[in-house]
Amino acid sequence: MRGRLTLFIASCFMALPVAGADPAPVRLNVKPLLCVLDKNATSCAVTFDIRWKSELATEYCLNDEAQPLPLRCWPKALSGEHRHERLVTQDFFFWLSPASGNERVAEAKIEVLRVGSTDRRRERRSRHVWDVL
Amino acid sequence: MKFPTLCSFAVLSAVVAAAPLAYAQADPAGGTSASTTAEPATPVANAPHAIPPEKNWRFGVGLGYGQRTNPLIQSEDIPVVVDLDIAWFGERWFFDNFDLGFALVDNSRFTTNVVARLNSDRAFFGKTNTRYVNFTVTAGGDQVPIPPPSSQGAVDAPVELKVPDRDYAVELGLEMLFDGEWGHGTLRAFHDVSNTHEGYEISADYSYRWVRGRFSIAPSVGVAYKSAELSDYYWGVHADEVLPTLQGYQVDGGIGWEAGLRTSYYITKSMRVAVSANYEKLTDKIALSPLVAEPYVIGYFAGLAWQF
């Protein structure tokens, strides 16, 4: 039971291969996966640590949704690492694709969370006894 | 107020325009493994976009452990294992965890709402017990039962000691919400409209939130004046409630204060670790009531919170 729970929690934080894509298992790990913005902030300046591993030496390219061209391509590699500095303003994906095609063999979603609101009513704190959050 | 200003877009656009596009980069070293390469500092942002409108509904749940102490005598602390957050925000009307409100004024400097709410003092009276007291006197090393006052000499019947019942009051009032680089401020004035305590409360609070990475911390302070009518209804011992074990007490109005700290560590966009603590000092007059065992309320909670 505990093992299943651990597996479930771990799967929440991991970028998994895209279902139905290249049968060669590829694992893409990106850190961080979350950008937290305060109400008046417009972007996070993030240096992403991007790592991937494949069971077959393949030519892969790393893509960023905001870029028309791959960030980087690796010729016949089993793994790769890359650091990428970027401003983040909205949710987007990094993904790996074969050098010869556009399909996504593994992807990682980077999410933007805005804490606070421009609507002041959503920021009001109630004084209820049970309100602890 | 609900949308970023044109200025924000202009600044963002300038950042994007100034950021050179990243380029495709082939690994010069062929082989089975690629080494880490730090890209030149060429920040790239997504194309500027409007912040998506917020949903009308807000659902949240916190699961963990916490409690609020109960300042009443013969009472139990209030456990907080599940904390639900249910709110709906329309153009002007809103429902926020049992507060019903209507935005009268909303401009760049402040928002004024008319709000109907339930008084929160009543919540403590839902967690009280009845105790039975035997009156005894110690004489020569032995405890001897004595008749309680006004019991006409009966010594064997224990006397009931019970916290009187109190009703929920519906209160209507105005609140002004302020915010800026300096933090958030709230002014509130509420009056009973349910003929329950027929009093009023005026309060002010201030909070400031820091966000660093995935961590946010928000300390807050507040003061509240509770009128004599409100204070006496909930915390006084009225003439018809006087018992041999409970002396009468009339409560005047007074000022109480509170301080709190709310922290969050965001694990994902919808899940966070939440830890909060709050200290509330009751007014001096309320603290002296025979119904009050502790002149303060301490609340704390630690757990996971989800926002849907």
Side-chain angles (χ1 to χ4, degrees), chain A residues 13 39 67 70 73-74 76 78 81 84 86-87 90-91 112 117-118 120-121 124-125 127 132-133, chain B residues 1 24-25 27 31-32 34 36 39 44 49 54 90 107-108 111 175 179 188 258 262 267 269 276:
Chain A
F13 301 100
K39 185 176 61 180
Q67 305 294 334
C73 291
W74 288 264
K76 289 280 182 187
L78 283 173
E81 297 178 12
H84 181 53
R86 187 191 199 286
L87 289 178
Q90 66 185 88
D91 294 1
V112 175
S117 170
T118 51
R120 292 191 189 97
R121 297 174 302 169
R124 62 195 296 277
R125 292 176 57 242
R127 291 170 58 85
V132 289
L133 293 176
Chain B
M1 189 189 121
Q25 178 183 348
D27 191 339
T32 56
T36 304
E39 266 197 352
V44 179
H49 68 290
E54 293 172 284
N107 59 39
S108 59
T111 301
E175 69 176 14
D179 64 4
R188 289 186 168 115
E258 67 172 321
R262 297 179 183 212
I267 300 169
K269 200 169 181 175
S276 63

Side-chain angles (χ1 to χ4, degrees), chain B residues 195-218:
Chain B
N195 293 321
T196 303
H197 59 70
E198 298 182 338
Y200 64 91
E201 178 178 353
I202 299 171
S203 65
D205 61 64
Y206 167 77
S207 67
Y208 189 89
R209 179 176 52 224
W210 282 277
V211 177
R212 286 287 179 275
R214 294 179 176 225
F215 187 73
S216 83
I217 183 167

Side-chain angles (χ1 to χ4, degrees), chain A:
Chain A
M1 179 65 190
R2 181 180 290 177
R4 254 186 252 166
L5 184 64
T6 308
L7 192 64
F8 169 75
I9 293 171
S11 67
C12 294
F13 301 100
M14 225 176 261
L16 295 175
V18 177
D22 191 340
V26 184
R27 183 148 296 204
L28 174 63
N29 280 305
V30 179
K31 292 179 183 175
L33 290 171
L34 184 65
C35 148
V36 181
L37 289 177
D38 203 354
K39 185 176 61 180
N40 298 315
T42 55
S43 65
C44 295
V46 183
T47 301
F48 290 100
D49 182 11
I50 304 164
R51 294 160 190 254
W52 62 268
K53 276 188 179 175
S54 171
E55 290 187 1
L56 294 175
T58 316
E59 293 180 14
Y60 285 125
C61 290
L62 174 68
N63 298 271
D64 177 336
E65 205 168 353
Q67 305 294 334
L69 297 173
L71 295 175
R72 180 172 176 184
C73 291
W74 288 264
K76 289 280 182 187
L78 283 173
S79 63
E81 297 178 12
H82 186 68
R83 288 170 72 82
H84 181 53
E85 189 176 328
R86 187 191 199 286
L87 289 178
V88 180
T89 60
Q90 66 185 88
D91 294 1
F92 74 99
F93 283 93
F94 284 117
W95 74 92
L96 283 178
S97 62
S100 55
N102 289 327
E103 69 176 303
R104 299 185 182 194
V105 295
E107 65 183 17
K109 186 177 186 183
I110 312 303
E111 295 185 302
V112 175
L113 170 67
R114 292 183 181 279
V115 295
S117 170
T118 51
D119 183 348
R120 292 191 189 97
R121 297 174 302 169
R122 294 171 190 261
E123 296 277 317
R124 62 195 296 277
R125 292 176 57 242
S126 73
R127 291 170 58 85
H128 296 307
V129 169
W130 55 85
D131 177 29
V132 289
L133 293 176

